[in-house]
Amino acid sequence: MRKSIAVDMDNVIVDIEANWINHYAEAFGVTVTKEAMHGIPEDQAFPDPLAARSLLYKPGFFRYAPLIPGAQEAIIKLQENYDVYIVSAAMEFPNSLPEKYDWLAEHFPSITWRNIIFCGDKSVINTDYLIDDHFKNLDFHKGKPILFTAGHNRGVERHTRVNSWEEVLELLASELV
């Protein structure tokens, strides 16, 4: 029987940090570096956290975000041996539902609608693996949690950490043996 993997979107296959930085610079004329996000909640890296957070509710924010390098190729490779699901806690931001769906259709056509899960609480996800950047999702996962490095989770050693999609492939290839 094939094992299953749930893959988060933001900061795992979608570079939300870069997207947020670009949107903030465009809206407010201030550029923040990715390094400024290290070890703190993402919105706290901006001079005005409330203004930064307001960008998440603007149409187009999620639709045109850039890919994390290597994500497309890795997902296709993982689908050879695993059932892969894209899971996003998208309910907080109403615009994100259609935008994330359209983004996935464009960048990950091999993921069908049956393998896309938008939810509010990822503790309901029961896959063998969860690849995510947030401890709030990984801490309660029933399978094996895999922490994908993002600025906000640097400096915390909990769960198996991967820093790239290349490392994800290496780790999960070793699990097949």
Side-chain angles (χ1 to χ4, degrees):
M1 189 163 148
R2 289 166 58 101
K3 289 192 174 186
S4 57
I5 304 170
V7 178
D8 178 37
M9 287 186 71
D10 299 343
N11 293 325
V12 178
I13 61 173
V14 183
D15 194 342
I16 285 298
E17 290 176 351
N19 196 50
W20 211 345
I21 289 167
N22 292 338
H23 277 261
Y24 193 88
E26 186 178 296
F28 304 107
V30 177
T31 301
V32 172
T33 65
K34 276 194 167 191
E35 291 73 27
M37 295 180 159
H38 289 186
I40 60 173
E42 296 101 317
D43 59 349
Q44 297 302 307
F46 297 96
D48 185 342
L50 287 177
R53 192 151 178 79
S54 73
L55 296 172
L56 302 174
Y57 295 90
K58 299 228 182 264
F61 181 85
F62 293 97
R63 176 62 183 96
Y64 302 105
L67 280 156
I68 294 281
Q72 284 175 310
E73 301 82 2
I75 294 295
I76 290 168
K77 182 78 175 153
L78 290 172
Q79 287 179 301
E80 293 173 8
N81 296 300
Y82 294 94
D83 292 328
V84 177
Y85 297 87
I86 303 298
V87 180
S88 184
M91 304 311 291
E92 184 177 357
F93 310 106
N95 289 333
S96 77
L97 291 168
E99 291 184 11
K100 286 184 174 194
Y101 184 85
D102 291 344
W103 188 95
L104 285 168
E106 177 184 346
H107 298 288
F108 291 88
S110 67
I111 300 290
T112 69
W113 63 271
R114 292 179 186 273
N115 290 60
I116 298 172
I117 303 166
F118 292 142
C119 59
D121 179 356
K122 290 185 190 172
S123 68
V124 301
I125 303 302
N126 188 22
T127 52
D128 295 297
Y129 303 92
L130 171 62
I131 304 171
D132 204 301
D133 64 307
H134 276 284
F135 298 111
K136 67 183 178 186
N137 300 318
L138 295 168
D139 288 347
F140 301 100
H141 185 64
K142 297 165 189 76
K144 181 174 182 175
I146 301 171
L147 176 66
F148 200 94
T149 297
H152 65 86
N153 68 35
R154 290 179 185 267
V156 180
E157 297 307 319
R158 204 157 76 226
H159 306 301
T160 300
R161 181 183 288 274
V162 291
N163 298 298
S164 67
W165 276 99
E166 184 178 318
E167 289 184 18
V168 170
L169 290 175
E170 290 172 9
L171 174 67
L172 291 172
S174 71
E175 298 277 325
L176 287 172
V177 180

